[in-house]
Amino acid sequence: MTALAQQSAREVESHAISVDAATTIAMTLKALAEPLRLRMLSAIATSPAGEITVGELASLTDVSQPTVSHHLKVMRDVGLLTADRRGTSVWYRIKPAYRGAVNTLLDRFAPAAVDVLETPHLVGLKNAEPALDRMAASLTERFPGTPPNECVRVVRESYAALVRRGGTTTHLVPLTEQFARQRIIDAEKAHAQASGAAGARHLPQVLFVCVANAGRSQLAAALMRHYAGDRVVVRSAGSAPAADVHAGVRALLEELNDSAAADAVDDVTRFYPKPLTDDAVRAADVVVTMGCGDACPVLPGKRYEDWMVGDPALASPAGVAAIRDDLDERVRALLADLVPQTT
């Protein structure tokens, strides 16, 4: 081997993980390379208690309980799961050291693997500058308390953020305007709260956050708007927003009879995946996270709740319906707490 070839080999080696690490990772991935095991892992990860019995997991399939126990043992042998016998039942939970990795697998890698063949790589408009300039000028007039240069910044940042998430460019301009308008509204509210300025009657504001803002957080926000009406300000966002709302979730949104309002041009609550912003968190009174880990900033004076809810992106129709029912119960309980007179 020539000196140049040796140098090239060393450079490649410096960028690759070690053989031992690759062997260990491959063993773990091999343990997960089975559909039923992935379904069981997702059920455990999103269980409200963080643990499930063999009997409960057996309901996912027609195979015998010993077969289910075998699949669980495979995942336990590679260190993914721990088991705890209490009475006659064995409870399985994800090993703490793997919790973050499993969340990343289910919330980021799995949806991408499902959608990769259906979601083309898209870019922004060829010449968006005139539209963005008009948008910034319009928002400057609409929000005189926000400096013109700030409106320009928010518009351009909003456009860039929506381009990065992908999706069709057909509605990119109106979505940019809605997202920028929402951000300015939230920024003005956050500023008023911080300065203690007196204003109109304060409405509780709830921010629902998940990874893609394409399923759980959209559905939770729609349910809150459905039940609360104008008594609560509702927002949703994603730590890594997808290109569009999941088809199964959009069907549920339409069942709530909120689709007309969601498609209104001037409605900042329109259903579309959008990035999480600091202003959205600052303006919120309650921040509800669902599977987004540490991506959401933790600010003083905010109420935080973490809901262990399944991801509709990978669920069966029955699973999506169950997720909807779970969110419905949680949203109503939160609303009753925020607006006590709600029945």
Side-chain angles (χ1 to χ4, degrees):
M1 182 181 293
T2 66
L4 182 60
Q6 291 177 342
Q7 181 181 354
S8 177
R10 286 194 297 270
E11 289 178 354
V12 172
E13 178 69 24
S14 69
H15 290 286
I17 62 176
S18 70
V19 173
D20 290 343
T23 301
T24 300
I25 295 169
M27 289 176 57
T28 304
L29 293 177
K30 184 178 179 179
L32 290 174
E34 205 286 330
L36 179 55
R37 291 176 202 162
L38 285 172
R39 296 194 68 205
M40 291 192 293
L41 186 69
S42 68
I44 297 171
T46 58
S47 169
E51 58 182 6
I52 292 184
T53 65
V54 176
E56 291 173 312
L57 290 170
S59 65
L60 291 173
T61 178
D62 294 330
V63 303
S64 65
Q65 187 162 314
T67 301
V68 172
S69 296
H70 164 73
H71 286 302
L72 290 167
K73 182 178 183 300
V74 171
M75 290 190 285
R76 186 179 177 186
D77 286 345
V78 296
L80 279 168
L81 302 179
T82 61
D84 178 27
R85 178 176 290 278
R86 299 199 290 273
T88 59
S89 298
V90 178
W91 295 80
Y92 284 84
R93 63 173 55 242
I94 295 171
K95 194 171 183 178
Y98 264 114
R99 170 57 91 175
V102 169
N103 287 341
T104 299
L105 170 69
L106 297 175
D107 292 333
R108 300 292 298 277
F109 177 81
V114 171
D115 294 341
V116 68
L117 296 180
E118 302 176 1
T119 306
H121 176 69
L122 296 169
V123 297
L125 302 175
K126 290 184 178 180
N127 185 16
E129 295 296 323
L132 298 180
D133 289 341
R134 290 193 297 271
M135 193 183 304
S138 174
L139 291 175
T140 298
E141 292 182 3
R142 184 165 184 174
F143 299 97
T146 300
N149 62 331
E150 180 66 8
C151 289
V152 171
R153 183 190 67 80
V154 171
V155 164
R156 293 185 178 277
E157 281 188 0
S158 299
Y159 174 77
L162 294 181
V163 168
R164 284 195 297 270
R165 58 158 207 176
T168 178
T169 60
T170 303
H171 303 295
L172 187 55
V173 169
L175 290 183
T176 297
E177 183 173 7
Q178 290 171 26
F179 184 36
R181 184 164 60 251
Q182 174 182 305
R183 292 180 61 187
I184 291 173
I185 292 172
D186 289 342
E188 289 190 347
K189 178 178 179 181
H191 177 73
Q193 290 175 337
S195 62
R201 179 175 62 95
H202 176 74
L203 294 177
Q205 182 156 327
V206 181
L207 171 64
F208 295 99
V209 186
C210 66
V211 175
N213 192 215
R216 291 166 287 190
S217 57
Q218 291 281 355
L219 187 51
L223 286 165
M224 180 62 80
R225 283 193 290 269
H226 179 73
Y227 291 121
D230 59 1
R231 292 170 295 175
V232 176
V233 177
V234 185
R235 296 284 188 263
S236 71
S239 56
D244 201 358
V245 175
H246 301 313
V249 172
R250 183 167 288 278
L252 292 178
L253 299 179
E254 292 173 355
E255 289 179 9
L256 290 170
N257 295 321
D258 289 340
S259 59
D263 289 332
V265 174
D266 199 41
D267 186 359
V268 296
T269 65
R270 178 173 178 169
F271 304 133
Y272 65 98
K274 62 193 75 65
L276 177 65
T277 66
D278 288 345
D279 284 329
V281 178
R282 283 194 287 265
D285 299 292
V286 182
V287 180
V288 178
T289 57
M290 291 172 274
C292 57
D294 299 328
C296 188
V298 177
L299 303 178
K302 307 296 178 185
R303 170 180 169 183
Y304 288 85
E305 294 190 10
D306 187 41
W307 292 357
M308 296 293 291
V309 181
D311 187 353
L314 304 172
S316 65
V320 173
I323 291 169
R324 189 262 187 212
D325 292 342
D326 185 7
L327 286 172
D328 186 280
E329 183 176 345
R330 293 172 184 268
V331 164
R332 286 209 257 185
L334 177 58
L335 177 59
D337 188 37
L338 293 176
V339 188
Q341 66 269 28
T342 303
T343 58

